[in-house]
């Protein structure tokens, strides 16, 4: 029996690659750079399945180019803002993602960024490398304290809660805002507040929200104006949640203390972007989930979603389960 045909938009790590190659006739894009729009539109034609990355915009045009045989879209990420999920749902195509497996790695990186920005680690490293460090002194590179400080989590899903667990070990008070809150579990002691209160009271603000119409640009000049002058902002969610020109202004004028961004608009950020001129801004290349085991787990999970969809089974992790309800109903 012939194997189902799939397009995989980038090389998966071994745990996922071997599964896909065993079960599918896979056209895998091995380029270092993602396939272009034209290449995606060309490659997807006639495929039964698509396994894509967050760098690929998968919209109705791509689904149309695939033709009526497209049975599943598996995104190798927990965020699915690169996929037009409504367009997939309208075509009864299940969309898979990779929740859970990247929670701890992303929370670790959030803390790494919080600490690096608050304690000026990157600035200090630059000082040493450039020969700018002349002697130990009491006031070189003073940063923020963690014990007793308030951490504000914008979004209290899996990752936000994992950050809260880490914060308790640092003796921090945690507050959060979330439109669909679930009660904190033991070890996640945190108080729900509204966004204004969170911005006013937090010494650290960390973003853990999906990118939606509501969250796009939510960290804008008005939001920054509510933050403390000593506050640190960390974004490991999606770049467009932060209004970057407004962030540049408040960092430059020291209206807030520092920021660390794992995600930006665009990615990569052009090297002449003004944010990269600031000592109090750390930018890393969307690596919050980039631990060895996590990326293996994401690859495997994405492959499992793909294969389930090809078999006509329910995806283990599906962001539009209503496609099944419709079939059953
Ligand atoms: C995701 O999965 O959405 C992250 O941004 C990458 O791991």
């Amino acid at each position: 029996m012939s194997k189902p045909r799939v397009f995989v938009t980038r090389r998966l790590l071994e745990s996922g690659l071997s599964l896909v190659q065993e079960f599918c006739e896979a056209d895998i894009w091995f380029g270092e750079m993602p396939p272009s729009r034209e290449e995606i539109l060309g490659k997807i034609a006639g495929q039964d399945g698509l396994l894509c990355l967050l760098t690929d915009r998968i919209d109705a045009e791509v689904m149309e180019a695939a033709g009526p045989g497209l049975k599943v879209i598996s995104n190798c990420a927990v965020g699915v803002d690169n996929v037009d999920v409504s367009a997939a749902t309208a075509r009864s195509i299940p969309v898979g993602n990779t929740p859970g497996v990247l929670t701890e790695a992303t929370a670790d990186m959030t803390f790494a960024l919080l600490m690096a920005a608050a304690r000026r680690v990157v600035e200090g490293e630059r000082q040493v490398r450039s020969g700018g460090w002349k002697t130990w002194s009491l006031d070189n590179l003073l940063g923020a304290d963690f014990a007793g400080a308030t951490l504000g989590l914008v979004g209290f899903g899996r990752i936000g809660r994992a950050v809260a667990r880490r914060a308790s070990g640092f003796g921090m008070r945690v507050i959060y805002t979330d439109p669909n809150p679930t009660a904190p579990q033991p070890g996640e002691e945190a108080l729900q507040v509204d966004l204004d209160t969170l911005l006013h009271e937090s010494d650290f603000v960390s973003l853990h929200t999906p990118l939606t119409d509501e969250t796009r640009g939510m960290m804008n000049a008005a939001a920054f104006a509510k933050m403390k002058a000593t506050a640190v902002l960390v974004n490991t969610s999606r770049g467009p949640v932060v209004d970057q020109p407004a962030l540049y202004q408040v960092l430059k004028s020291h209206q807030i203390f520092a920021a660390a961004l794992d995600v930006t608009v665009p990615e990569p950020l052009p090297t002449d972007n003004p944010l990269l001129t600031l000592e109090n801004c750390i930018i890393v290349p969307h690596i919050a989930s980039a631990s060895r085991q996590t990326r293996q787990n994401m690859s495997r999970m994405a492959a499992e979603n793909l294969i389930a969809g090809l078999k006509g089974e329910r995806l283990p992790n599906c962001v539009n389960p209503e496609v099944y309800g419709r079939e059953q109903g």
Side-chain angles (χ1 to χ4, degrees):
M1 205 177 79
S2 64
K3 292 178 173 181
R5 296 182 60 227
V6 299
F7 179 45
V8 180
T9 64
R10 213 84 66 78
R11 191 179 202 289
L12 295 175
L13 298 195
E14 185 49 33
S15 58
L17 189 63
S18 51
L19 276 180
V20 169
Q21 286 180 321
E22 188 189 326
F23 189 80
C24 312
E25 187 187 321
D27 184 352
I28 301 174
W29 186 264
F30 283 103
E32 188 194 341
M33 297 303 289
S36 68
R37 180 82 183 158
E38 289 63 41
E39 284 156 344
I40 291 178
L41 290 171
K43 292 272 184 191
I44 192 68
Q47 303 284 6
D48 300 306
L50 171 65
L51 197 157
C52 52
L53 265 57
L54 55 80
T55 43
D56 309 310
R57 181 163 55 86
I58 306 302
D59 56 13
E61 190 186 8
V62 174
M63 297 171 206
E64 285 304 306
L70 188 67
K71 295 186 184 62
V72 56
I73 297 170
S74 173
N75 203 39
C76 190
V78 65
V80 287
D81 46 282
N82 59 308
V83 179
D84 185 339
V85 177
S86 317
T89 306
R91 291 165 177 76
S92 297
I93 302 171
V95 177
N97 71 338
T98 64
V101 291
L102 46 77
T103 301
E104 302 301 332
T106 304
D108 288 344
M109 188 63 176
T110 301
F111 242 87
L113 291 174
L114 278 170
M115 300 200 80
R119 297 301 303 275
R120 305 172 71 173
V121 173
V122 178
E123 214 180 329
E125 208 265 354
R126 275 197 294 264
Q127 193 182 71
V128 172
R129 274 183 199 262
S130 67
W133 185 41
K134 301 298 180 204
T135 183
W136 192 91
S137 62
L138 281 167
D139 59 356
N140 186 29
L141 294 177
L142 298 184
D145 292 289
F146 279 71
T150 296
L151 169 64
L153 299 171
V154 180
F156 202 61
R158 290 184 195 83
I159 298 170
R161 300 158 77 115
V163 174
R165 292 197 291 276
R166 283 154 180 75
S168 76
F170 281 79
M172 302 175 90
R173 167 182 178 248
V174 181
I175 56 180
Y176 71 93
T177 176
D178 194 303
N180 304 304
T182 49
Q185 299 299 306
E188 300 171 354
E189 279 65 34
L191 180 72
Q192 190 183 0
V193 296
D194 60 35
L195 183 61
D196 275 9
T197 306
L198 183 142
L199 295 172
H200 278 121
E201 293 190 5
S202 295
D203 300 295
F204 300 89
V205 174
S206 189
L207 308 179
H208 301 286
T209 173
L211 178 62
T212 63
D213 290 344
E214 290 70 42
T215 62
R216 186 180 294 276
M218 77 184 292
M219 292 306 296
N220 54 18
F224 294 134
K226 294 172 187 157
M227 289 173 65
K228 296 182 181 181
T230 49
V232 173
L233 174 76
V234 168
N235 188 11
T236 54
S237 63
R238 284 293 183 265
V241 175
V242 172
D243 175 342
Q244 284 176 191
L247 178 64
Y248 171 77
Q249 293 303 334
V250 293
L251 286 171
K252 184 152 180 68
S253 59
H254 300 284
Q255 202 181 309
I256 68 170
F257 181 65
L261 310 176
D262 181 47
V263 287
T264 56
V265 184
E267 291 179 6
L269 198 63
T271 52
D272 62 354
N273 187 283
L275 283 171
L276 293 169
T277 65
L278 299 174
E279 287 286 6
N280 56 350
C281 187
I282 296 172
I283 302 184
V284 293
H286 203 149
I287 51 171
S289 66
S291 74
R292 285 186 285 273
Q293 192 57 52
T294 298
R295 289 286 168 86
Q296 288 286 357
N297 291 344
M298 288 170 68
S299 297
R300 181 185 36 76
M301 218 167 167
E304 286 169 354
N305 280 333
L306 179 79
I307 292 167
L310 294 169
K311 288 179 173 168
E313 294 169 1
R314 197 180 177 103
L315 309 198
N317 289 283
C318 183
V319 297
N320 57 345
E322 58 273 29
V323 293
Y324 301 115
R326 187 183 303 155
E327 277 164 18
Q328 283 153 17

